[in-house]
Amino acid sequence: MRTVEEHQAIVAALIRPPAPVSMAIADAAGLVLADNLVAPNSLPGFDNSAMDGYAVLASDIAGATKESPVTLVVADDIPAGRTDIPALAPGTAHRIMTGAPMPAGADAVVQVEATDGGKGGIEGGGKVTVFESRAAGVHVRKAGEDVAAGETVLPSGALLGPAQLGLLAALGQATVSVIPPVRVLVMSTGSELVDPGTPLRDGQIYDANATMLLTAIRAAGAVAEQVHFVPDRVEDFYAALDDRLGEFDLLLTSGGVSAGAYEVVKDALSSQGVEFAKVAMQPGMPQGAGQFRGVPVVTMPGNPVSALVSFEVFVRPALRRAMGLPRPSRTIVRAVLDEDIESPPDKRQFRRGTLNRETGSVVTVGPAGSHFLRWFAAADCLLNLPAEATVLHRGDTVEVWPLD
Ligand code: AMP
Ligand code: MG
């Protein structure tokens, strides 16, 4: 028997970080930077106005008050985006908009609210009366005050969300070097499986695991595709992978790894570089990991609850770690049990539960059996119960993994 930690380490060692790639910034959300981001230019790129108003020489309006305002000729108009910027002559003002370049010769902006708004138009003899003084530098955004060219603005490993990708765009970068998502191929096995949306015959069931695992992989930040489920025949198993496997970084199977007959995954992969072992946990005891045709493989049991718990315990943290994503493991919360429960001896047990964050208490939902998928769907956390525990009492503190 392996411990949970031993099998976690085996799976983690199997999934290697993908080589960095360059991609369009709009495609990089949720990935991490492969290299430090060094600013190629400054932000702001030029001194510009922080207000809609008038660019002035501060000394020209030094004494301005409501009672004794200063009136200046408005010599020009500078909207945002104007690129030929006329210099300011002393004793005059330029009307200026937020984000427009400061003219040479001006050192402050007085916002429109502190003036009469200008009279007589912009071209030809317009004037503005200013009611307040402004010190030099006021309402001017200085070039480089946010980012100086050459500065490291994001470290390698930074997670790219809206602000980080916005910063890249602001710096003029159309592409970015990232750790790409791990590509996972999902395969369900079982001669009893049928596609959802098609009729069932007696003894058949719908393939729940493919959809469940695709969703879990994508939620973990990786890329997932499915190969259509295969019956419990080794030739079909191999044939289904013939043209697909090479495009993926990981094959994730469910079913066919227990101790019965017709264990297709075990039969197909045992002699091919995948090692099958029992892990001291419930659910999810039969597990396998290794390489097939040069591609890492993790094999999980077929019961849907076992499969999803196995994914949470072994695969999700390994995927996130390989991609450099923050918090590869679920955040651990300590919560107080609000019921008495039993747990099998000598096995780690993962029960489904609901956590009350206000009171810090937790209860299990549904029985321990590994086919009670409906109850997993009602849960928002896993309880990680220690191997040595056989009886847990109301009031005991337990480790909980919120699943959000
Ligand atoms: P196995 O691990 O193949 O022995 O399967 C264990 C149990 O899980 C059996 O009851 C299977 O019918 C069920 N099972 C296996 N694969 C799936 C699947 N993809 N969707 C739903 N149930 C499954
Ligand atoms: Mg099966």
Side-chain angles (χ1 to χ4, degrees):
M1 267 289 193
R2 274 183 196 160
T3 64
V4 166
E5 287 73 15
E6 282 164 352
H7 195 64
Q8 278 175 325
I10 287 167
V11 172
L14 207 55
I15 305 175
R16 306 308 311 155
V21 297
S22 173
M23 63 170 72
I25 54 173
D27 297 331
L31 301 174
V32 304
L33 264 187
D35 305 307
N36 287 345
L37 175 63
V38 177
N41 40 259
S42 299
L43 287 178
F46 48 87
D47 291 357
N48 68 89
S49 177
M51 291 284 176
D52 295 331
Y54 292 84
V56 297
L57 192 58
S59 56
D60 283 343
I61 60 162
T65 61
K66 189 89 199 154
E67 292 70 36
S68 74
V70 172
T71 297
L72 301 170
V73 168
V74 179
D76 218 318
D77 189 27
I78 314 177
R82 183 165 175 185
T83 53
D84 59 322
I85 308 307
L88 185 87
T92 70
H94 285 350
R95 194 169 77 160
I96 194 165
M97 299 301 141
T98 304
M102 284 294 285
D107 61 7
V109 172
V110 55
Q111 68 268 44
V112 67
E113 294 84 353
T115 71
D116 67 349
K119 297 272 176 338
I122 297 303
E123 265 107 65
K127 291 201 165 95
V128 63
T129 298
V130 177
F131 301 119
E132 293 171 27
S133 65
R134 290 286 178 271
V138 168
H139 302 322
V140 178
R141 303 159 168 174
K142 296 299 285 179
E145 71 179 11
D146 187 13
V147 173
E151 224 183 318
T152 295
V153 284
L154 291 171
S156 77
L159 181 64
L160 297 173
Q164 294 73 26
L165 291 167
L167 177 60
L168 275 151
L171 289 167
Q173 305 303 290
T175 60
V176 58
S177 177
V178 295
I179 307 297
V182 176
R183 296 159 304 170
V184 186
L185 185 62
V186 171
M187 182 202 257
S188 296
T189 65
S191 296
E192 71 278 33
L193 298 180
V194 171
D195 283 312
T198 58
L200 279 185
R201 285 195 270 151
D202 273 355
Q204 296 184 320
I205 63 167
Y206 291 119
D207 174 11
N209 293 353
T211 301
M212 188 175 73
L213 294 170
L214 284 178
T215 308
I217 291 162
R218 289 171 183 159
V223 161
E225 284 180 41
Q226 70 181 96
V227 53
H228 192 262
F229 60 74
V230 296
D232 294 315
R233 264 196 312 272
V234 170
E235 315 81 80
D236 293 302
F237 181 95
Y238 290 140
L241 296 175
D242 275 346
D243 343 313
R244 302 285 311 273
L245 189 60
E247 302 154 37
F248 292 88
D249 306 309
L250 175 69
L251 170 65
L252 187 61
T253 67
S254 66
V257 295
S258 326
Y262 311 104
E263 303 292 4
V264 65
V265 176
K266 225 179 196 175
D267 295 344
L269 299 180
S270 286
S271 54
Q272 305 281 332
V274 176
E275 201 185 335
F276 293 89
K278 288 183 173 166
V279 178
M281 68 187 274
Q282 201 245 5
M285 187 170 73
Q287 298 287 340
Q291 304 245 1
F292 175 58
R293 298 180 185 164
V295 176
V297 183
V298 174
T299 70
M300 309 189 300
N303 265 307
V305 174
S306 311
L308 191 52
V309 166
S310 302
F311 180 85
E312 278 293 330
V313 174
F314 303 116
V315 183
R316 184 182 180 278
L319 288 176
R320 292 184 64 84
R321 198 165 282 119
M323 289 183 283
L325 294 175
R327 297 176 303 282
S329 300
R330 294 288 187 186
T331 307
I332 292 172
V333 171
R334 306 220 138 258
V336 177
L337 255 188
D338 203 15
E339 62 182 339
D340 297 337
I341 51 175
E342 290 182 2
S343 180
D346 305 324
K347 269 187 194 170
R348 188 80 68 80
Q349 192 185 36
F350 291 93
R351 292 288 294 268
R352 282 63 61 204
T354 52
L355 174 67
N356 183 328
R357 286 179 183 272
E358 257 119 69
T359 60
S361 66
V362 67
V363 289
T364 59
V365 291
S370 52
H371 60 291
F372 291 103
L373 184 55
R374 170 260 171 96
W375 292 108
F376 206 147
D380 60 17
C381 65
L382 290 176
L383 286 73
N384 177 8
L385 305 177
E388 57 280 8
T390 50
V391 190
L392 292 117
H393 297 285
R394 177 183 301 246
D396 287 353
T397 298
V398 292
E399 181 178 313
V400 172
W401 299 0
L403 295 175
D404 43 34

